[in-house]
Amino acid sequence: MTNQQPIYILPESAIRTKGREAHRNNIAAAKLVAETVRTTLGPKGMDKMLVDSSGDIIITNDGVTILEEMQIEHPAAKMLVEVAKTQENEVGDGTTTAVVLAGELLKNAEDLIDKEVHPTVIVKGYRIASEIAQKVLNTMAEDINKDDTDTLEKIAITAMTGKGAEASKEKLAKMAVHAILKIIEIKEKIIIDLDNIKLEKKIGGGTEDSELVEGIILDKERVHSSMPRLIKDAKILLLDSALELKGPETDTKISITTPDQLQAFLDNEEKTIRDMVEKIVYSGANVVLCQKGIDDVAQHFLAKRGIYTLRRINDSDMTKLAKATGARIVSNLDDLSKEDLGYSGLVEAQKMGDEEWTFIRNCKNPKAVTFLVRGGTRHVVDEAERAIKDALGDIASALKQGKVVAGAGATETEVARNLRKFSTTLSGREQLAVLAFADAMEVIPRTLAENAGLDPIDILTALKQKHDEGKKWAGIDVFTGKVVDAWKMGVIEPLKIKVQAVKSATEVANMILRIDDIIASGKDARPMGMPHGMNPDMM
Ligand code: ADP
Ligand code: MG
C-alpha cells in the first residue's frame, strides 16, 4: 500500500507521554515526593508544617501524615503515597524510610536507563536484589520475647526519638511497653490487637503528664450531679438497652379522660422504672455504664441509690469496657445476675479542664487499657499521639515476629555490603541493577547523616569500613557524629519495618519502571446516568 493514512485510536487532543519521556516524567514526580519527606528522616530530621485552605495547621515529622495531607495529583507520586500507607498499615512506622528508599531506587534506575539499560532488566535486577536484601535482614536479626522489657523500651524510645514526645520519651516508652504487655495474648501465636489500647487526648499539662490507665477513660460525666464522684471496688454493669419507657414498643397512644387515670398511668410508669433500678441494685452493681439513653426518672432513682451512671457510651468503648472490666454486656435486666458485672478498683469523676471525665481504673488483669496523652497545645498532643502510635506499633510488630535489628543505618549498610558481594555472581546488566539497588540502600545512612548536619561522605566511608571488618551493627550516632555500635547504643527496631520497607519500595519502583506509556484516560468508568462520586460497586 502506498497512500497510507494515519490511524487514530485516541483523539488527537489526548495527552500522552511515551517511552523514555514517560519514565522520566514518572521518576521525576516520585523523586520529588521522596525529596519532600527526606529531610524529616531520623532523630535530627526536621518537621513539616502543613497548612490547609482554612488555615488549619498540622506540625509533623511523620512521613505518612505529611503525604496524606499534601494534595498530590501526579499518578506516579500518588503511588509513592500508597507505599507510605502500606507501610503504616503493615507496621505502623518506617513510612519515611520506605518512601525515601523508593525514590532512590527510581533515581538510580534513571541513571541506568540513561546508560541504555532496559527497564525490564532493571526490574528483574531489583527483584532479585530485594529478595537477597530480605534474606540478609532476616539472617542478621536477633530474637526478642515479651520478658525482655529492656529491649522493648529501647524499641519504643527509638520510635519516638526526634518526635513530638521527645521530652518524656523514657516515661512514655515504659508506659507503651506496659500497655502492650497488658493486652498481649499468647496462644498458638502472639496476638496483639492495638484496638485494645484506647488513646485519649486532652490538651493541658505537658507530655510528661500523660498516663496509662489500667482500665478505660470515658470523656463523659455522671448523668446526675448528686451521684457519687468516686466508687471503690466498683461492680460495673454494662447495659446496652435504654433505661426509659420511650422505646418504640411502649410508645403507643393512650386516651386519658380523668385526672385519676393520668395519675394511675404516671404511677405505673414510675413503678416500671423503679423496678428496673431495683433489679440493678439487687445484682450488686454500683456503677452503670449504659450504651443508650436514661430518662429523668431513672436518673433520679439511680442517684438516690448512689449508683454512678453514664449514658450514651459508644459501641467501641462498650467493647473495650467489657475487655477491661471482665463484664458481660447485658441487654435485658430480667436476665441480670451478679456474674455479669465487671470489676474495677476505682471509678472516679475527674475534672479535665472544664469538663468532667470518668476514669475506670485499677481493673483486674484488664484486656484493654487507655493511654491518656497530654500536651500543652493541640499540635503537641497530636504529634505526641503519632509518636506513641509509632512506638506501640513497633513494640507490637517486634513481639509478633519475635525479631529485631539495630537501626541508625546499620542494617541498610550491611544489606548494601552483602548485595555488592552477591552482585559479583551476576553478569552484565543485571549486576548493574543489583549494584544500583545496593547504592540505593545507603540513602538511609546518608540521609541520617545529612539531616544531622554531618559530612555524609566521611561517615559513609567510616561506616562501610566497620561493616567490612564484620561489625554488622555499626551505625551512626547522629548526636556525636561518630560511627558506633547501634545495638549497644540502644537504637533498636522491629525487623518487620526494614523488610516491609524494602519490599514495598521495590514493588512501587518496579511498578513505575514498567510503565512506558501514560495516557490521559477520558473514559468515564461510571455507568450512564450515575451521579459523580458514586461507586458502581455500590449498586
Ligand atoms: P520513619 O518514618 O522511616 O520511621 P523516622 O524519622 O522515624 O522515619 O526515622 C527512622 C530512622 O531513624 C531509622 O533509620 C532509625 O534507625 C533512625 N534512628 C532512630 N533513632 C536513632 C538514633 N538515636 N540514632 C541514629 N539513628 C536513629
Ligand atoms: Mg519512625
Side-chain angles (χ1 to χ4, degrees), residues 40-43 45 61-64 93-98 157-159 161 163 390 406-409 412 444 448 476-479 489 491 493 497-498:
T40 70
L41 186 81
N61 181 288
D62 188 45
V64 71
D93 193 12
T95 52
T96 313
T97 303
I157 289 175
T158 303
T161 304
K163 301 273 188 283
D390 283 358
E412 291 84 3
I444 302 300
L448 287 173
I476 304 169
D477 183 339
V478 289
F479 300 99
M489 188 167 63
V491 179
E493 296 174 277
I497 284 196
K498 304 294 182 189

Side-chain angles (χ1 to χ4, degrees), residues 109-266:
E110 192 177 31
D111 293 344
L112 290 181
I113 295 173
D114 286 344
K115 287 184 199 143
E116 306 299 331
V117 180
H118 196 273
T120 334
V121 178
I122 305 174
V123 166
K124 185 167 173 220
Y126 276 6
R127 209 178 47 234
I128 299 172
S130 162
E131 270 156 30
I132 301 285
Q134 293 175 46
K135 266 195 205 127
V136 174
L137 288 169
N138 274 296
T139 319
M140 69 187 295
E142 307 275 347
D143 294 335
I144 185 161
N145 64 47
K146 71 172 183 41
D147 300 323
D148 191 354
T149 45
D150 208 39
T151 309
L152 291 174
E153 275 169 27
K154 286 178 181 154
I155 296 171
I157 289 175
T158 303
M160 291 189 285
T161 304
K163 301 273 188 283
E166 178 72 34
S168 27
K169 61 183 178 190
E170 273 86 16
K171 181 180 168 188
L172 294 175
K174 279 199 167 44
M175 295 191 328
V177 172
H178 193 88
I180 297 277
L181 294 183
K182 280 286 164 199
I183 61 142
I184 191 170
E185 285 175 74
I186 299 175
K187 296 183 177 156
E188 310 91 76
K189 61 177 197 172
I190 292 177
I191 302 166
I192 300 172
D193 183 354
L194 291 178
D195 282 344
N196 292 329
I197 301 177
K198 185 177 179 192
L199 282 162
E200 194 69 66
K201 293 186 280 187
K202 183 74 193 173
I203 300 165
T207 40
E208 70 280 3
D209 298 316
S210 300
E211 102 175 270
L212 183 74
V213 170
E214 294 201 6
I216 301 297
I217 300 175
L218 299 164
D219 58 350
K220 293 209 167 283
E221 59 183 341
R222 297 158 298 154
V223 293
H224 201 289
S225 57
S226 70
M227 287 174 175
R229 299 185 61 87
L230 191 140
I231 303 252
K232 285 189 181 144
D233 277 326
K235 315 277 185 310
I236 301 170
L237 165 63
L238 299 183
L239 185 64
D240 74 355
S241 58
L243 281 173
E244 55 193 12
L245 289 178
K246 293 192 262 4
E249 317 75 51
T250 53
D251 196 14
T252 43
K253 271 210 184 84
I254 49 162
S255 65
I256 288 169
T257 46
T258 70
D260 281 357
Q261 275 178 337
L262 177 62
Q263 194 53 46
F265 171 75
L266 290 176

Side-chain angles (χ1 to χ4, degrees), residues 309-516:
T309 312
L310 303 180
R311 64 175 167 177
R312 304 209 185 282
I313 294 171
N314 69 38
D315 206 35
S316 94
D317 279 342
M318 288 297 275
T319 313
K320 290 189 183 86
L321 283 163
K323 286 188 174 158
T325 65
R328 198 179 67 86
I329 298 175
V330 173
S331 309
N332 185 346
L333 287 176
D334 292 330
D335 305 335
L336 175 62
S337 77
K338 82 172 193 298
E339 283 70 41
D340 297 324
L341 303 181
Y343 176 82
S344 131
L346 182 65
V347 172
E348 61 174 339
Q350 201 168 315
K351 269 262 171 266
M352 298 291 282
D354 49 8
E355 294 169 35
E356 179 184 303
W357 283 14
T358 296
F359 284 61
I360 293 149
R361 297 178 183 277
N362 309 347
C363 294
K364 239 187 249 158
N365 203 9
K367 288 286 155 239
V369 295
T370 308
F371 217 121
L372 175 63
V373 186
R374 305 298 306 267
T377 69
R378 184 170 64 81
H379 308 300
V380 174
V381 176
D382 287 350
E383 183 67 348
E385 182 193 30
R386 283 188 283 271
I388 291 167
K389 276 191 181 158
D390 283 358
L392 292 171
D394 282 3
I395 302 167
S397 142
L399 285 173
K400 278 196 254 179
Q401 209 183 13
K403 295 270 180 203
V404 286
V405 292
T411 52
E412 291 84 3
T413 313
E414 186 67 14
V415 167
R417 191 180 72 86
N418 279 279
L419 281 173
R420 291 202 181 96
K421 214 164 68 186
F422 166 77
S423 74
T424 56
T425 64
L426 300 172
S427 61
R429 294 173 176 237
E430 264 164 35
Q431 182 178 45
L432 288 180
V434 171
L435 286 173
F437 194 107
D439 292 342
M441 290 300 298
E442 283 169 358
V443 74
I444 302 300
R446 194 171 345 114
T447 307
L448 287 173
E450 277 171 14
N451 287 351
L454 307 168
D455 183 318
I457 298 177
D458 289 353
I459 294 265
L460 246 63
T461 313
L463 195 56
K464 286 194 217 176
Q465 195 181 338
K466 287 281 179 216
H467 280 261
D468 285 339
E469 289 165 12
K471 306 235 166 17
K472 68 174 181 178
W473 296 135
I476 304 169
D477 183 339
V478 289
F479 300 99
T480 62
K482 300 240 157 58
V483 171
V484 294
D485 186 315
W487 186 275
K488 289 200 188 119
M489 188 167 63
V491 179
I492 298 179
E493 296 174 277
L495 169 65
K496 181 100 187 272
I497 284 196
K498 304 294 182 189
V499 172
Q500 185 63 42
V502 164
K503 241 196 244 181
S504 32
T506 314
E507 268 168 23
V508 78
N510 280 353
M511 194 179 280
I512 291 176
L513 287 173
R514 268 195 232 104
I515 301 168
D516 76 341

